[in-house]
């Protein structure tokens, strides 16, 4: 059984949590990153216009795992927008 912990962190707190979970479970940790630097204004724009930013690695890379644990902040009742690209991919496939 292959398991991955996928995380996005704006401040670094969720990154530390995800690394600890991956270490305790002895599984792979995948950290999401964006090509552009995120700030509070871009977070606001994502929320207002329901934007889904592009992140690396690509969402198709998680097809190789049996289970995936997501770790990310919640912004206004929704998962962080960089994580949404993964969740949208899973919903469609």
């Amino acid at each position: 059984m292959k398991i991955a912990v996928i995380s996005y962190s704006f401040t670094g707190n969720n990154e530390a949590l995800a690394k600890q979970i991956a270490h305790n479970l002895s599984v792979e940790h995948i950290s999401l990153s964006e090509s552009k630097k995120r700030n509070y204004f871009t977070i606001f724009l994502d929320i207002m216009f329901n934007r889904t930013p592009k992140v690396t690695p690509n969402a198709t890379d998680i097809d190789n795992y049996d289970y995936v644990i997501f770790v990310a902040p919640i912004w206004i009742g929704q998962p962080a927008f960089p994580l949404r690209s993964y969740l949208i991919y899973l919903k469609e496939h």
Side-chain angles (χ1 to χ4, degrees), residues 8-73:
Y8 170 76
S9 184
F10 180 64
T11 61
N13 293 331
N14 285 299
E15 183 76 15
L17 174 64
K19 284 181 181 179
Q20 189 63 43
I21 292 170
H23 174 74
N24 290 347
L25 297 176
S26 299
V27 298
E28 185 175 355
H29 173 241
I30 301 169
S31 180
L32 301 180
S33 62
E34 299 177 274
S35 59
K36 295 182 180 180
K37 182 74 175 158
R38 180 167 289 279
N39 58 42
Y40 290 106
F41 183 67
T42 57
I43 293 171
F44 173 75
L45 291 176
D46 288 346
I47 292 167
M48 292 301 296
F49 297 108
N50 201 27
R51 301 187 313 182
T52 304
K54 293 185 180 186
V55 295
T56 56
N58 194 341
T60 57
D61 295 341
I62 65 171
D63 290 340
N64 301 326
Y65 298 98
D66 298 315
Y67 295 99
V68 178
I69 300 169
F70 293 105
V71 179

